[in-house]
């Protein structure tokens, strides 16, 4: 039977944790990273618009678009495959 524990690296040491706990920790970390990425993207848009305004350039068109979610991409691929 497969082992019920996984080796996880924290810094420079490995710790053996239950697989369920490891999966939960990884999913939580990924959610936090996704939130941080989205926050930084929004802040970047504002900063780029301010920079263009300061340079006297027109605002970028299409710059306020949002990426499609994984679910939306699955639906698009399903439609394209027929």
């Amino acid at each position: 039977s497969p082992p019920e524990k996984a080796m996880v690296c924290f810094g420079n040491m490995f710790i053996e944790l239950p697989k369920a706990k490891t999966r939960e920790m990884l999913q939580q970390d990924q959610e936090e990273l996704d939130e941080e990425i989205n926050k930084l993207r929004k802040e970047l848009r504002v900063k780029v618009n301010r920079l263009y305004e300061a340079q006297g350039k027109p605002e970028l068109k299409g710059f306020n678009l949002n990426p499609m979610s994984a679910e939306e991409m699955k639906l698009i691929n399903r439609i394209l495959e027929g």
Side-chain angles (χ1 to χ4, degrees):
S1 69
E4 296 298 318
K5 294 193 174 196
M7 296 294 290
V8 183
C9 180
F10 289 105
N12 61 352
M13 66 181 164
F14 284 88
I15 299 173
E16 193 172 27
L17 295 172
K19 280 187 177 182
K21 180 67 175 171
T22 303
R23 181 176 288 119
E24 180 184 320
M25 288 172 45
L26 289 172
Q27 287 174 342
Q28 183 180 3
D29 285 348
Q30 187 62 50
E31 289 172 6
E32 290 173 9
L33 289 171
D34 288 342
E35 288 175 14
E36 182 69 20
I37 288 169
N38 289 331
K39 178 183 165 198
L40 291 171
R41 281 182 179 152
K42 288 177 185 176
E43 290 174 2
L44 178 63
R45 290 178 183 152
V46 171
K47 290 177 182 179
V48 169
N49 281 333
R50 275 195 232 142
L51 177 63
Y52 267 63
E53 184 181 317
Q55 292 175 341
K57 295 181 181 179
E59 185 176 320
L60 290 175
K61 293 182 180 177
F63 192 63
N64 290 324
L65 298 175
N66 293 318
M68 285 195 275
S69 68
E71 186 65 30
E72 291 170 328
M73 284 300 298
K74 286 179 189 176
L75 292 172
I76 295 291
N77 288 332
R78 194 177 306 156
I79 290 170
L80 292 176
E81 290 174 356

